[in-house]
């Protein structure tokens, strides 16, 4: 990014965090997550960005070699309470070194897992899935409906203000709203300053009911924008919680394979597309010749959700599955592939780096490609 004079613009850690929060709003993350600024300070100038899956000591060295002082790590490096700053522990050593070198670290984690274009969309794309949709709904992405009442000739500016604050977005459409005419009544005391009507009497005025949906986490901002643009001294409004969530926000993805596959063929496909030679398959004895078309995927530790896999999913691929989780899945007649935590999340980390390069062309953005740990199966 450059200013009108053509000079390069300086970016702060806060600028990059605002960009990341727009891509994956923190409100979409689960309550136990530890995203946000983990190391450093928000007002620091960014010299370059290093994107990584984990903040480890070797990543510090890599970033310094490339002139980067801001890390964006998918996994938050500060997770459990730190009881000692011991430099003989790799995780703590990375934090100490980053802080000592005036480096900074952001993490998105679960909000990037559920975000459109995030970790799980990248995983689905790597496997060639089409017609994708969220596999599990996100409670954190619930919506509200905001309703207000106003004169007909003020609907357009209020609707615009609410839309600019984040209301009325449905898919690619903006300022989506519904309005209907009616009659509003109010009694204005002598000290009031009503926009219409008279003091000291009950007034009945023609009004329009304006309704727009908004993400729950933006409700306060939308109401503030509505109040600022509203002509009334004390506008009436409702904020109604909804059961529906944004249809493109959710954990995991379900989609169609490029072609029907057997379980063994899907395993080979996953090993190839995800560079996951250690991927392994669990399935019932009679499932060897099943034809698989619809696959559910979830990057990272998705084994705990095998019992919640929705109907219509022919196979489930995730990063980590324990023995007992695999046993449960097979007992339920399900086909499960464990492809590796790193292997299922790194496509999304790579995509994040691509997004940053596109939106911060004047900052060097480097990607640390760590070697995934391979444990004996």
């Amino acid at each position: 990014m450059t200013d009108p004079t053509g000079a390069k613009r300086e970016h702060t850690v806060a600028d990059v965090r605002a960009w990341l929060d727009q891509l994956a709003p923190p409100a979409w993350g689960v309550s136990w997550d530890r995203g946000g600024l983990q190391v450093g300070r928000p007002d620091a100038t960014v010299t370059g960005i290093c994107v990584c899956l984990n903040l480890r000591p070797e990543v510090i060295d890599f970033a310094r070699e490339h002139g980067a002082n801001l890390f964006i790590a998918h996994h938050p490096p500060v997770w459990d309470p730190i009881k000692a700053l011991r430099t003989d522990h790799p995780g703590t050593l990375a934090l100490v070194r980053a802080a000592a070198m005036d480096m900074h670290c952001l993490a998105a984690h679960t909000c990037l897992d559920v975000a459109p274009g995030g970790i799980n969309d990248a995983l689905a794309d790597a496997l060639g899935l089409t017609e994708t949709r969220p596999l599990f709904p996100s409670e954190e992405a619930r919506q509200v409906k905001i309703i207000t009442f106003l004169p007909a000739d003020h609907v357009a500016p209020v609707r615009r203000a609410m839309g600019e604050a984040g209301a009325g977005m449905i898919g690619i459409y903006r300022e989506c709203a519904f309005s209907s005419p009616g009659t509003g009544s109010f009694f204005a005391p002598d000290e009031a300053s009503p926009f219409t009507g008279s003091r000291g009497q009950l007034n009945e005025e023609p009004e329009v009911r304006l309704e727009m949906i908004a993400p729950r986490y933006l409700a306060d901002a939308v109401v503030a924008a509505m109040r600022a643009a509203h002509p009334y001294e004390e506008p009436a409004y409702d904020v109604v919680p909804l059961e529906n969530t944004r249809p493109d926000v959710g954990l995991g993805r379900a989609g169609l394979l490029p072609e029907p596959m057997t379980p063994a063929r899907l395993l080979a496909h996953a090993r190839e597309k995800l560079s996951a030679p250690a991927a392994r398959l669990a399935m019932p004895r009679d499932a060897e010749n099943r034809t698989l078309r619809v696959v559910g995927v979830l990057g990272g530790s998705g084994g705990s959700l095998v019992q919640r896999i929705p109907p219509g999913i022919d196979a489930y691929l995730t990063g980590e599955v324990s023995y007992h989780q695999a046993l449960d899945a097979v007992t339920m007649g399900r086909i499960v592939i464990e492809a590796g935590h790193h292997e299922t999340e790194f496509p999304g980390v790579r995509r994040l780096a691509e997004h940053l390069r596109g939106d911060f062309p004047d900052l060097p953005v480097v990607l640390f490609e760590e070697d995934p740990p391979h444990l004996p199966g």
Side-chain angles (χ1 to χ4, degrees):
M1 298 181 184
T2 57
D3 66 20
T5 67
K8 284 188 177 182
R9 174 190 164 192
E10 285 192 347
H11 298 281
T12 65
V13 173
D15 293 334
V16 180
R17 177 171 184 177
W19 176 90
L20 188 61
D21 289 352
Q22 183 71 25
L23 178 72
W28 289 348
V30 296
S31 60
W32 44 259
D33 205 359
R34 301 287 189 273
L37 181 59
Q38 295 256 303
V39 180
R41 63 186 196 279
D43 62 338
T45 298
V46 178
T47 60
I49 303 172
C50 177
V51 184
C52 56
L53 187 61
N54 302 291
L55 183 65
R56 310 296 287 178
E58 59 269 28
V59 186
I60 306 289
D61 296 333
F62 176 82
R64 290 189 66 198
E65 291 172 4
H66 291 84
N69 69 338
L70 172 63
F71 302 96
I72 299 183
H74 182 57
H75 294 142
V78 180
W79 192 260
D80 295 322
I82 298 175
K83 298 179 180 179
L85 291 175
R86 294 186 52 155
T87 54
D88 58 346
H89 183 280
T92 311
L93 174 60
L95 294 171
V96 171
R97 290 187 62 194
M101 296 176 184
D102 199 24
M103 304 175 88
H104 317 272
C105 181
L106 294 167
H109 204 214
T110 57
C111 50
L112 190 60
D113 287 336
V114 302
I119 295 294
N120 286 293
D121 272 329
L123 173 58
D125 290 346
L127 292 168
L129 302 187
T130 58
E131 300 182 31
T132 55
R133 63 186 188 277
L135 183 61
F136 303 105
S138 173
E139 294 293 322
E140 291 74 22
R142 289 197 181 278
Q143 297 176 310
V144 296
K145 180 184 288 185
I146 299 174
I147 306 165
T148 191
F149 309 87
L150 68 169
D153 56 356
H154 283 77
V155 167
V158 172
R159 182 181 60 219
R160 187 178 309 114
M162 294 172 67
E164 289 174 352
M169 295 189 296
I170 301 178
I172 62 173
Y173 298 93
R174 300 294 181 267
E175 284 195 42
C176 301
F178 181 80
S179 57
S180 56
T183 301
S185 62
F186 62 94
F187 181 91
D190 291 340
E191 66 270 21
S193 300
F195 179 75
T196 60
S198 302
R199 299 184 184 94
Q201 68 179 47
L202 183 67
N203 297 277
E204 292 188 348
E205 300 291 335
E207 291 184 322
V208 171
R209 173 188 171 110
L210 175 65
E211 306 179 21
M212 300 180 80
I213 62 170
R216 182 171 58 186
Y217 74 94
L218 289 178
D220 289 346
V222 173
V223 168
M226 177 272 293
R227 292 180 65 96
H230 206 291
Y232 290 175
E233 182 182 18
E234 292 292 343
Y237 64 92
D238 300 323
V239 179
V240 182
L242 302 176
E243 286 297 313
N244 52 306
T245 65
R246 262 189 58 168
D248 58 344
V249 177
L251 193 58
R253 293 295 183 266
L256 297 177
L257 286 166
E259 61 185 39
M261 299 181 184
T262 63
R265 175 71 187 93
L266 177 59
L267 177 63
H269 180 72
R271 285 174 171 172
E272 175 190 356
K273 298 299 182 181
L274 301 179
S275 300
R280 50 188 182 174
L281 171 69
M283 65 178 178
R285 292 181 182 273
D286 60 356
E288 183 178 356
N289 295 316
R290 282 189 199 173
T291 300
L292 311 178
R293 294 182 175 86
V294 182
V295 172
V297 300
L298 176 57
S301 303
S304 62
L305 296 176
V306 293
Q307 295 190 36
R308 290 178 49 195
I309 299 171
I313 302 299
D314 298 327
Y316 177 59
L317 181 148
T318 187
E320 293 181 38
V321 183
S322 73
Y323 169 81
H324 289 286
Q325 291 163 350
L327 185 62
D328 287 344
V330 171
T331 303
M332 297 167 65
R334 298 198 177 280
I335 296 168
V336 174
I337 291 178
E338 180 191 59
H341 198 122
H342 172 280
E343 290 83 353
T344 55
E345 289 188 333
F346 199 73
V349 174
R350 183 182 294 112
R351 177 173 291 182
L352 179 61
E354 294 168 358
H355 287 324
L356 284 160
R357 291 185 183 115
D359 289 348
F360 294 91
D362 52 346
L363 278 178
V365 177
V366 294
L367 175 66
F368 184 81
E369 302 197 34
E370 66 184 52
D371 295 324
H374 287 146
L375 304 177

